[in-house]
Amino acid sequence: MTFYEEKLATIESSGNLRRLPRVEHQGKWITDGGRRMLNLFSNDYLGLAASEERQEEFLASIQGKYLPLSSSSSRLLTGNFPVYTELEERIASSFGREAALLFNSGYHANTGILPALADKRTLILADKLVHASIIDGILLSGAPFLRYRHNDYGQLERLLRKHEKAYDRVFIVTESLFSMDGDVADLRKLVELKKTASNICLYVDEAHAIGARGENGLGIAEEQACAGEIDLLVGTFGKALASMGAYVVCSRVIREYLVNTARPLIFSTALPPFQIAWTLFVWEKLPSLAEKREKLRRNSRLLADSLRGKGGEISQSHIVPFIVGESEDCARKAEELRRKGFYCLPVRPPTVPKGTSRIRISLTADIEEEEIRRFIQNIE
Ligand SMILES: *Cc1c(COP(=O)(O)O)cnc(C)c1O
């Protein structure tokens, strides 16, 4: 055991030791050791998870329906309840697409889809800043891969031209709204690039954008009017959708192929039907939440504009980085902000590159302008 103790000591001495915070939640507030703080690290972008009213409305809407708290099986065996198909059809139709397939989480989706679809004859070209779950999916797939510089489509195009003929298929993989910098991919440009050859496939993860962006809450793909042209459009329910799980929107053929080959789908118990019903309930509400999205946008502009030159200028969304630099300084700054009543956490290597440790602020529609102004005064 001393091996792991020593490893832990090394992590601690570099200022990167992680601990599970023991906190209590109450709406947008977090309480830790008797101190109440405004949660500035929430993924509940529309404030739906914090809304008891919505939950009551949901519970009333499912009166008399059979929606157990466990599916007791993988969907391929006996765990497939009608509500799954209902949600999948609903999602596909929201995007005007043929099919959608649910996964238990974004992590399951991202570690299941690429290993199912990519092989040694497939080249994966992924943005340098894609989420850890995508990296794990790429590694699990065993396919050759290259990372292009973040949002550098010139480099991506050169890589495509150089390699596409040597492979049967090429996958371009990106997030739409990046989780650490809060900036946004140019999906239309990526669609244009993928159309330059018939063997190029585009994979987009909208985890941070679904619900929070687009006129009807359908993400950056809706905002940039290209949802119909993204081969694999992934989204998750654990953030703005205030639930749990994930989906991929794709063609009917790819859906059927994934049902036959995606291991996290085949070998894991499906989410509880009750949970899926809640997701469906929220999904159907998405178009009506435009006011919340607008408030989130105003909050984001206010904060990003005041953090200009310190990371704010990078952000194009409700995720705003405040870059401190060294891990220990960053941890100290976050601690200071928590003392002042703002629940902030440092994001350190290996999550972000060395020397760019940051306080990553994520806003919600529940936060008031006045609270952001107070935070800005305190961060300076
Ligand atoms: C949060 C996140 C995931 C993981 O989704 P879970 O449902 O929490 O497993 C995947 N991709 C991105 C980009 C994310 O931010």
Side-chain angles (χ1 to χ4, degrees), residues 105-107 110 131 133 175 205 207-208 236 239 245:
S105 72
Y107 192 87
N110 284 335
H131 191 259
S133 58
E175 279 173 54
D205 180 344
H208 291 282
T236 67
K239 294 176 174 127

Side-chain angles (χ1 to χ4, degrees), residues 43 45 104-110 130-134 175-179 205-208 234-239 244-246 360:
N43 293 327
Y45 300 134
N104 284 358
S105 72
Y107 192 87
H108 278 77
N110 284 335
V130 291
H131 191 259
S133 58
I134 299 179
E175 279 173 54
S176 66
L177 199 169
F178 285 85
S179 48
D205 180 344
E206 293 246 48
H208 291 282
V234 172
T236 67
F237 303 133
K239 294 176 174 127
M244 180 75 212
R360 168 191 177 277

Side-chain angles (χ1 to χ4, degrees), residues 321-342:
F322 172 67
I323 296 179
V324 178
E326 292 312 313
S327 288
E328 284 160 43
D329 298 339
C330 189
R332 216 172 300 122
K333 185 75 186 173
E335 168 60 32
E336 179 195 321
L337 287 164
R338 289 199 295 276
R339 267 201 310 276
K340 291 175 171 169
F342 302 98

Side-chain angles (χ1 to χ4, degrees), residues 71-249:
S71 71
S72 305
S73 169
S74 159
R75 284 180 76 191
L76 279 108
L77 302 172
T78 59
N80 197 25
F81 288 71
V83 68
Y84 283 81
T85 317
E86 205 183 322
L87 176 57
E88 285 171 339
E89 285 173 356
R90 184 61 216 233
I91 291 173
S93 102
S94 295
F95 286 104
R97 293 282 297 273
E98 273 182 18
L101 180 64
L102 301 180
F103 284 86
N104 284 358
S105 72
Y107 192 87
H108 278 77
N110 284 335
T111 54
I113 296 169
L114 283 172
L117 300 181
D119 58 16
K120 296 262 183 290
R121 304 281 317 138
T122 309
L123 175 67
I124 299 173
L125 297 174
D127 188 286
K128 188 81 188 162
L129 294 190
V130 291
H131 191 259
S133 58
I134 299 179
I135 306 289
D136 290 359
I138 293 172
L139 294 176
L140 268 176
S141 78
F145 67 94
L146 293 165
R147 316 272 301 271
Y148 58 90
R149 281 187 298 272
H150 178 50
N151 282 347
D152 185 341
Y153 304 130
Q155 187 193 20
L156 173 60
E157 186 164 16
R158 287 191 294 280
L159 290 171
L160 282 170
R161 295 297 87 84
K162 186 168 168 199
H163 295 288
E164 69 197 344
K165 291 200 177 60
Y167 293 91
D168 293 349
R169 283 164 301 280
V170 181
F171 278 78
I172 301 172
V173 183
T174 186
E175 279 173 54
S176 66
L177 199 169
F178 285 85
S179 48
M180 287 302 137
D181 287 348
D183 58 346
V184 168
D186 185 347
L187 298 182
R188 294 178 81 123
K189 177 70 193 171
L190 290 172
V191 165
E192 196 184 296
L193 284 176
K194 112 176 176 110
K195 283 183 172 169
T196 56
S198 60
N199 65 342
I200 306 175
C201 205
L202 180 57
Y203 182 128
V204 177
D205 180 344
E206 293 246 48
H208 291 282
I210 189 65
R213 298 288 289 253
E215 196 183 334
N216 295 292
L218 298 176
I220 304 291
E222 182 187 29
E223 218 173 83
Q224 300 185 5
C226 58
E229 296 171 288
I230 295 165
D231 303 280
L232 297 150
L233 185 57
V234 172
T236 67
F237 303 133
K239 294 176 174 127
L241 270 286
S243 185
M244 180 75 212
Y247 61 86
V248 58
V249 173

